[in-house]
Amino acid sequence: MENSMNTNIDNRILKSPGRYVQGPGALEQLTEYLQGMGNRLLVIISPNGKKRMEGTLQRCFKGTGYQVFYQLFQGECCQSQIDELTAFARGKCCTAVVGIGGGKILDTAKAVAYEAGLATVIIPTVASTDSPCSSLSVIYKENGEFDRYLFLNNCPELVLVDTRIIAAAPAKLLVAGMGDAMATWFEARACRQSHSLNQVAGRPTRAAEGLASLCWQHLQQDGVQAKLDAEQGICSEALENIVEVNTYLSSVGFESGGLAAAHGIQKGFTMIPELHNQYHGFKVAFCTLTQLVMEETQLGGDRIREEIRAVLHFCCEVGLPVCFADMGYTAPDPALIRLAAEKACVLGSTIHHMPFPVTPELVVQCLLKADALGEEYSQEFGIIYRSIQRIQEMENRFDYMLRANNTPPENRVYDPELRDMLFSLSMYLDSGEWQQDYEMDERGLLPASLKRGVLSQDGLYDLLDAYGILLK
C-alpha cells in the first residue's frame, strides 16, 4: 500500500485530521464543530444506524439552520456507489459530507467528499480499525473483491467519536481495533530502522513515531480493563484511552509513521479463503507476531524475544488470535500459505520496509513458527492465567495481614476472618502452588505489573511467625 504522490522524499511529513473530538455524548455537540463547513450536509449512514441515531441527530440539528440530506449506505464502498452519491451531493449543492458508521461507510464518505471537493466529517460507531483519521479510502468492486486504494489529499476536517456509542457496540470490535493498533509501533519502528517512507510519501516524523509508541504503551496499560468495561457498556477512563489509541493514535501513527511486514502479510492473507471473514484487526494481530518472529530470526536479541512474549501475553489477555486455529483456520494448507507469502512480497508491498531483505520463503518460515509459538503459549497461558489469579488473591490477603500486623498489639482484633486468611496463606506456602508460582516468576512468565510480595518466602514466613499464636 504505497502512496505514489510526487513529493520530495527528504521531507518529513505528518498528516492528521483538522480536529479530533472524543467523549460520551459528543454526537449531541456535533453542530458546535461544523463551523466553516457550510450548512448543507450529506449524511451517509446505514438503515439500522439511521434508526438508532435519528432521534439524537434530529435534536442536534433542530433550530440550527442546517439542511441535512440522508442517503442510506448500500453495503459496499464501490465506485458505482461513490459516483451516485457524488452526483447527489453536487445536485443538492452540499457543502460537507458526513459519514456515520463502520469502516466501509466512512471510506465511502471520504471518497465522495474527495470527488465532490467537499469537507469531510467522520463519525465512527465502532473502534475496530485505525482508518477514521486517515487520508485513505479502500475501494472494493461491487462483488466485494478488493479494487484499489484511493489516496486523498487531506485527512478529514473533523473526526468525532461518541464513546457512548462505542461502548454500546460489541466488545469484540474494540478488541479487533486493538489488534490493528498493536502493529502501529512495531511497523513504525521498522520503517525508521530501514529509512523507509511513510504512507504519505515522506520521512516519518518523530511526532508520528511518538504516537505509534504510545499505542503499544496504552494497549498494555489499559487494554484488558477497556475490554472488560466495553463488555459492560461502561465509558471508563480505560475505554476512553483505548478508543483514542484505536481511532487517533494508531491512525496518525500508521499513516505518518509507516507500515511494514504486519500489514504486508495481512494483505497476503487475501489468498486464504478461510480467513476472509476474520476481522482485519484479528489478522493484523497475528501478522504482528509474525513480523516480530521475522525480526528475531534475522536480527536476534533478547529484547525482541521479550517483545514476542509480551505480544503473546497481551493477545491472550484480550482475546486476540495468536495462531491460525484461533482464526478458525484449523488445517493450514501449505500451498495457500505459500501463495499468501508470495502475495505479501510483491513489488511495492510494505513488507519491504523491514530492515532486512524479505522473501516468500522467510515469510512461510516465520508464519509457521509464529503459529507454533502461539499454540504453545496459548496452552501455557491457561496455566499462567490461573497462577496470576491465585497470586492476586493471596496478595490481597498478604497485604491485609501486613496492615493488621502494623496495628499496635493492644488494638488488634483477632476476628475469624483474620484467622481464615492466615490459614489460607500458610496452606498456600506449604502447597506446591506457591512453588509453581515462584518458579513462573523466576522464569519471567508473569507480567511486570503484577504485585507479588506474597512470593517472598522470607516475608511470608515472617508474617506467619508474627501471627503464630493464631495457627495453634
Side-chain angles (χ1 to χ4, degrees):
M1 187 170 72
E2 294 285 0
N3 187 344
S4 59
M5 117 182 12
N6 185 22
T7 61
N8 185 335
I9 62 172
D10 290 327
N11 290 340
R12 297 185 182 192
I13 303 176
L14 183 144
K15 291 178 77 174
S16 63
R19 180 176 289 187
Y20 180 84
V21 179
Q22 175 188 312
L27 181 60
E28 298 171 5
Q29 304 154 22
L30 173 60
T31 56
E32 296 179 22
Y33 303 105
L34 292 177
Q35 296 178 8
M37 299 186 202
N39 66 349
R40 297 175 67 85
L41 309 178
L42 166 59
V43 175
I44 304 172
I45 191 169
S46 71
N48 287 335
K50 188 170 185 288
K51 287 178 184 177
R52 291 196 312 270
M53 284 178 270
E54 191 167 22
T56 301
L57 291 169
Q58 285 177 346
R59 289 193 301 274
C60 178
F61 290 117
K62 185 177 180 179
T64 61
Y66 283 96
Q67 289 186 276
V68 182
F69 305 95
Y70 290 97
Q71 286 290 285
L72 300 181
F73 182 65
Q74 300 303 315
E76 195 54 79
C77 179
C78 58
Q79 192 60 49
S80 61
Q81 182 160 197
I82 293 168
D83 291 342
E84 181 182 331
L85 290 169
T86 301
F88 180 88
R90 287 172 174 158
K92 295 294 184 181
C93 299
C94 292
T95 57
V97 179
V98 181
I100 305 177
K104 292 193 175 185
I105 292 179
L106 304 185
D107 278 356
T108 301
K110 287 192 281 186
V112 170
Y114 172 76
E115 295 287 348
L118 303 177
T120 313
V121 177
I122 295 298
I123 304 175
T125 55
V126 294
S128 59
T129 73
D130 53 15
S131 66
C133 295
S134 73
S135 59
L136 172 74
S137 284
V138 184
I139 313 300
Y140 294 85
K141 298 177 182 178
E142 291 186 17
N143 64 1
E145 292 180 11
F146 172 78
D147 184 3
R148 71 189 190 282
Y149 293 110
L150 176 62
F151 292 98
L152 313 173
N153 293 332
N154 300 299
C155 298
E157 278 74 10
L158 170 64
V159 175
L160 184 143
V161 187
D162 190 326
T163 43
R164 281 185 195 153
I165 296 173
I166 302 297
K172 201 171 191 178
L173 295 173
L174 184 76
V175 172
M178 293 188 215
D180 204 12
M182 184 174 69
T184 307
W185 162 239
F186 299 109
E187 291 189 290
R189 183 179 68 186
C191 286
R192 172 69 68 177
Q193 292 170 343
S194 63
H195 307 289
S196 298
L197 298 183
N198 58 23
Q199 298 312 110
V200 292
R203 296 292 176 192
T205 65
R206 289 295 182 185
E209 187 178 7
L211 293 178
S213 176
L214 284 173
C215 286
W216 182 225
Q217 177 182 323
H218 281 288
L219 284 171
Q220 294 178 96
Q221 177 179 309
D222 298 311
V224 174
Q225 188 60 50
K227 178 196 175 184
L228 295 174
D229 294 337
E231 289 172 342
Q232 301 298 318
I234 300 171
C235 287
S236 65
E237 184 70 15
L239 184 129
E240 293 281 355
N241 289 343
I242 292 303
V243 169
E244 183 180 348
V245 165
N246 289 5
T247 309
Y248 181 80
L249 296 180
S250 181
S251 187
V252 179
F254 98 75
E255 192 165 40
S256 297
L259 299 177
H263 276 82
I265 297 170
Q266 187 277 328
K267 192 173 179 181
F269 278 179
T270 59
M271 305 304 294
I272 303 176
E274 289 85 349
L275 297 179
H276 286 181
N277 293 327
Q278 284 293 318
Y279 292 124
H280 171 78
F282 280 15
K283 291 181 281 190
V284 170
F286 178 64
C287 293
T288 301
L289 173 62
T290 303
Q291 174 178 317
L292 289 173
V293 169
M294 194 180 293
E295 291 183 37
E296 196 275 332
T297 301
Q298 298 301 106
L299 304 174
D302 291 338
R303 176 183 59 79
I304 296 176
R305 282 187 283 274
E306 289 172 3
E307 287 177 340
I308 289 173
R309 180 163 286 279
V311 164
L312 284 166
H313 188 80
F314 174 75
C315 288
C316 286
E317 277 193 306
V318 298
L320 287 166
V322 294
C323 59
F324 283 122
D326 286 349
M327 295 185 284
Y329 194 29
T330 54
D333 183 338
L336 287 179
I337 290 178
R338 172 72 193 191
L339 282 175
E342 291 174 351
K343 176 77 171 178
C345 293
V346 297
L347 185 65
S349 169
T350 59
I351 203 169
H352 301 300
H353 290 173
M354 297 302 293
F356 45 77
V358 180
T359 64
E361 290 75 20
L362 178 62
V363 175
V364 169
Q365 174 191 346
C366 293
L367 278 170
L368 296 177
K369 185 175 179 181
D371 182 50
L373 280 173
E375 283 195 352
E376 180 183 357
Y377 191 86
S378 176
Q379 295 173 4
E380 188 179 78
F381 179 78
I383 300 172
I384 294 173
Y385 181 76
R386 288 191 294 274
S387 181
I388 291 171
Q389 295 292 100
R390 186 168 55 238
I391 291 170
Q392 289 174 332
E393 180 183 353
M394 293 300 168
E395 185 70 23
N396 288 336
R397 297 176 184 183
F398 183 66
D399 281 347
Y400 183 90
M401 298 297 294
L402 283 177
R403 289 194 299 272
N405 192 45
N406 290 329
T407 303
E410 63 273 13
N411 295 332
R412 292 181 188 174
V413 177
Y414 295 107
D415 57 64
E417 184 180 5
L418 198 67
R419 183 182 176 89
D420 289 344
M421 285 187 180
L422 192 61
F423 269 108
S424 65
L425 286 169
S426 178
M427 292 175 65
Y428 173 57
L429 180 60
D430 293 338
S431 71
E433 291 180 340
W434 183 91
Q435 188 63 36
Q436 179 184 1
D437 296 344
Y438 177 81
E439 289 174 359
M440 282 194 175
D441 190 31
E442 289 292 294
R443 291 167 57 197
L445 300 180
L446 302 179
S449 59
L450 180 67
K451 195 173 180 183
R452 46 170 59 78
V454 75
L455 296 184
S456 166
Q457 193 173 42
D458 288 343
L460 194 48
Y461 269 131
D462 288 345
L463 182 66
L464 294 174
D465 184 61
Y467 283 95
I469 188 172
L470 290 181
L471 292 173
K472 295 179 181 179

